[in-house]
Amino acid sequence: EPHTPYEPPEPFKSRYKSAYDGEIASADSIVGDFFSYLKDQGLYDKSLIILLSDHGEGLGDHKETEHGIFLYREALQVPLMMKLPGQAMKGVSIATPVELSDVFPTILAMCGAGQAGYAAGSAAPHSVSLLDVIDGRTAHRQIYSETLFPKFHYGWSDLHSLIDDNHHYIQAPRPELYDLAGDSAEKNNLAGQDRRNFIAMRAAIAPMIHANATPSAVTQEEQQKLAALGYIGSTAATGDENLPDPKDKVGMSEDLRRAFELHSAGRYAEALPVLEKLVKENPRMLDVWDIMARDLDSLGRTGEAIDAAKTGLRLSPNTTHLALMVAKMSIDAGRLDEAKAHAELAVKDEPSVAHDILARVALAKNDYATAEREAKLCLESRDRASALLTLARIEEQKKNYASALEYCNRAIEFLETRKGSSINGLYYVRGDVLARMERYPEAEESFRKEIELFPRDPQPYKNLILLYATEGRTQEATQLVFQLIDKSPTPPAYVAVSSTLRTIGDMNGARYWRMQGLKKYPNDKTLLRLPV
């Protein structure tokens, strides 16, 4: 911290007008508590303490609110403070620019590892110990930085930066040169005026810039799998492409921020037009296709969601989470072979999730032996809770309810021992199993727990409404309907309510909620297909 969204805890939230300042004060308080602990334990005086930040925040100085796009001083110049044991050199300030990669050899030197430890640690070859900088034992260095974020996420040009004494050069489609001594805010681009420094620094940075391809190279076998699915040939950018300068596109970042905020708040229908506008202007924005796919899926438009995720995957075929997203949504759409093919793309990078999806595909085909084999492969990985849930689903489908319940309980125990958050569907499956065992109070408790953890998922609401209706608890069932629509006013929620009410014989209620859904989403195909 601080990172967006800026939400400082009390008392800092009330104490500061700026939420960003409140988060800084909160972080400062945590560090202060830690230092107090070290002093109480008699450790502070003999400790080496290095306090640093990984990057700065734009805060609108160059129209970037956060970080990652630009390489201006507000992003690159970060706090770097060091307390030596015994408070040696207390109060000394060093003006020489250094790099964060210098921290590693500094710690090695302080711990007595020396050059052997430095080499063994594989530190960057240009890194030096800060102790040598303090003593003046280092040669003059130029400080290099780069950002590939705008290229891989938005389809804009990557940027590269070189700082030499008081000059800062930024390699971009329209290069920039700044005098840090006279223009610390970097507002006056001298690239067209100070030709001598411009040409010298442009030449100096050239050997430092290496052609960059989409991250995570794939094997020949993986390339063949990707090609078979149509994902090779449209990847996101080689170094020779004429990509737009981020300076010309950063105005879109406000739309990006707005779209992500709406998505995070569950306001998918409002986020979608913003996302569509963004990809219309720039179809190479990988992150936008990612969020658009999630929004469409949340709105029940699964086929379109799959197409959006596939578009992102064509831009960056090695983006594993998009392949897994396609696989998960394809199961929901009943496109099982497609789900299987995309899960297999991710087996190397995300074996636990991939094997879990392959187990679910097999389960949907009633191939219990394959489902169990795949789930047990997942069971051996870090994602143990998901594997136990899938095994519970298998046992439930086989009507082995006691065994299914045991798997659910084991998953819950596993998460509790590791203080992990729950996974979507765990308490729902547990509740469904308990209901089939006619243990209705426990089933109700599990459904309510699932709703508490995942308030936008219609499935536990449906089952709990059915349970209440069976027990004649009409008022509680009605309250649950309104709670679902309040938490998730999406087509799948309206469909869930209407179909559930029809199941229990409330035809008027089913028609009413169908019409309410169509008022909000008049063209939704799933709502239109519901019986009148």
Side-chain angles (χ1 to χ4, degrees):
E1 297 293 356
H3 278 91
T4 54
Y6 303 133
E7 295 173 350
E10 293 292 1
F12 307 103
K13 182 177 181 179
S14 301
R15 191 176 294 168
Y16 293 88
K17 291 182 180 179
S18 163
Y20 180 76
D21 289 348
E23 287 216 350
I24 291 174
S26 174
D28 185 57
S29 176
I30 292 168
V31 173
D33 289 344
F34 177 57
F35 287 178
S36 295
Y37 168 80
L38 292 177
K39 291 173 182 177
D40 291 343
Q41 299 297 313
L43 297 170
Y44 182 82
D45 189 59
K46 59 185 177 182
S47 293
L48 165 67
I49 299 173
I50 301 176
L51 181 66
L52 69 160
S53 174
D54 55 343
H55 55 75
E57 201 81 328
L59 300 180
D61 283 0
H62 287 88
K63 298 184 181 179
E64 181 179 16
T65 306
E66 299 179 39
H67 58 271
I69 297 175
F70 289 136
L71 294 175
Y72 296 113
R73 180 171 162 272
E74 58 263 24
L76 298 185
Q77 186 169 332
V78 298
L80 179 58
M81 290 173 270
M82 181 163 64
K83 188 202 79 67
L84 300 173
Q87 301 192 48
M89 302 192 69
K90 177 180 178 180
V92 173
S93 179
I94 306 298
T96 305
V98 295
E99 303 184 356
L100 293 182
S101 59
D102 297 336
V103 170
F104 178 61
T106 303
I107 295 171
L108 288 179
M110 286 297 300
C111 295
Q115 289 299 317
Y118 177 83
S122 301
H126 58 277
S127 300
V128 299
S129 167
L130 295 172
L131 301 175
D132 291 342
V133 176
I134 294 170
D135 292 342
R137 295 198 300 265
T138 57
H140 172 264
R141 283 191 300 168
Q142 295 172 319
I143 306 297
Y144 173 77
S145 305
E146 66 183 13
T147 177
L148 309 183
F149 182 87
K151 178 175 182 176
F152 291 133
H153 291 266
Y154 299 147
W156 305 337
S157 176
D158 46 318
L159 301 177
H160 305 262
S161 149
L162 193 66
I163 294 174
D164 190 350
D165 292 329
N166 287 324
H167 288 96
H168 183 195
Y169 173 79
I170 300 174
Q171 179 67 49
R174 294 201 320 279
E176 302 165 68
L177 177 68
Y178 297 102
D179 175 6
L180 296 179
D183 178 26
S184 60
E186 297 178 313
K187 299 297 185 183
N188 183 25
N189 183 4
L190 301 175
Q193 302 171 38
D194 187 352
R195 299 300 296 173
R196 184 177 65 83
N197 279 307
F198 173 79
I199 292 169
M201 295 190 75
R202 184 179 62 183
I205 200 174
M208 304 178 187
I209 301 174
H210 301 285
N212 45 78
T214 305
S216 303
V218 295
T219 65
Q220 185 174 358
E221 180 185 358
E222 288 164 337
Q223 282 184 340
Q224 290 171 352
K225 288 181 181 179
L226 285 162
L229 293 169
Y231 293 122
I232 292 295
S234 182
T235 61
T238 63
D240 299 326
E241 289 181 292
N242 186 25
L243 299 177
D245 194 315
K247 294 190 290 293
D248 298 329
K249 298 294 182 180
V250 71
M252 299 172 68
S253 63
E254 182 59 28
D255 283 339
L256 285 163
R257 185 191 62 77
R258 176 67 176 156
F260 293 160
E261 280 183 356
L262 290 169
H263 169 78
S264 299
R267 296 161 63 181
Y268 309 120
E270 295 175 65
L272 202 53
V274 185
L275 295 165
E276 288 170 342
K277 175 190 171 188
L278 286 164
V279 293
K280 186 176 181 180
E281 292 179 6
N282 179 7
R284 304 178 62 109
M285 302 185 84
L286 180 63
D287 284 11
V288 176
W289 287 112
D290 183 336
I291 299 298
M292 186 184 292
R294 297 172 194 270
D295 277 12
L296 287 164
D297 188 42
S298 298
L299 291 168
R301 296 160 62 177
T302 307
E304 295 169 79
I306 291 171
D307 290 342
K310 284 183 174 181
T311 301
L313 202 52
R314 275 190 286 275
L315 288 172
S316 180
N318 310 327
T319 306
T320 304
H321 80 270
L322 284 175
L324 292 170
M325 191 188 301
V326 172
K328 290 175 182 176
M329 293 187 297
S330 295
I331 294 176
D332 296 335
R335 293 151 63 167
L336 300 180
D337 290 339
E338 198 170 340
K340 182 174 183 290
H342 284 82
E344 287 173 345
L345 291 175
V347 167
K348 184 183 83 170
D349 292 333
E350 290 286 349
S352 58
V353 183
H355 284 301
D356 185 57
I357 291 173
L358 290 169
R360 290 171 56 194
V361 170
L363 180 59
K365 294 181 176 182
N366 296 319
D367 181 355
Y368 299 131
T370 301
E372 288 180 13
R373 184 176 68 250
E374 292 289 348
K376 284 175 180 175
L377 283 171
C378 177
L379 197 61
E380 298 168 5
S381 71
R382 59 181 169 80
D383 205 6
R384 186 176 176 84
S386 293
L388 291 167
L389 174 56
T390 299
L391 288 166
R393 293 182 190 274
I394 295 169
E395 293 302 314
E396 182 183 24
Q397 197 160 310
K398 291 163 66 176
K399 296 184 169 55
N400 297 332
Y401 300 130
S403 181
L405 181 60
E406 182 183 350
Y407 277 125
C408 286
N409 291 339
R410 283 175 59 189
I412 292 168
E413 289 171 7
F414 174 81
L415 290 169
E416 286 176 347
T417 56
R418 283 155 181 77
K419 297 181 180 179
S421 58
S422 189
I423 52 175
N424 195 189
L426 175 54
Y427 283 95
Y428 162 72
V429 171
R430 185 175 185 273
D432 195 49
V433 169
L434 287 164
R436 294 175 189 278
M437 298 171 76
E438 300 183 357
R439 293 164 59 175
Y440 300 123
E442 295 170 87
E444 177 185 349
E445 183 182 355
S446 279
F447 288 140
R448 285 212 164 275
K449 182 68 173 177
E450 183 77 16
I451 289 169
E452 175 192 331
L453 293 167
F454 303 98
R456 295 174 186 163
D457 184 359
Q459 195 62 51
Y461 291 89
K462 287 176 61 176
N463 284 41
L464 191 51
I465 290 168
L466 288 171
L467 181 60
Y468 284 160
T470 304
E471 296 177 342
R473 298 161 65 180
T474 307
Q475 185 175 354
E476 289 168 279
T478 303
Q479 289 173 346
L480 211 55
V481 167
F482 283 97
Q483 182 182 337
L484 170 56
I485 298 301
D486 176 61
K487 295 292 185 183
S488 181
T490 60
Y494 286 104
V495 169
V497 169
S498 181
S499 59
T500 303
L501 293 178
R502 183 170 292 276
T503 299
I504 62 178
D506 182 358
M507 301 307 173
N508 288 334
R511 283 191 288 269
Y512 172 80
W513 285 109
R514 175 183 180 273
M515 291 307 300
Q516 291 299 113
L518 285 171
K519 283 181 183 178
K520 196 172 180 68
Y521 306 100
N523 300 315
D524 185 77
K525 295 176 183 178
T526 312
L527 282 166
L528 288 167
R529 283 197 297 265
L530 289 175
V532 179

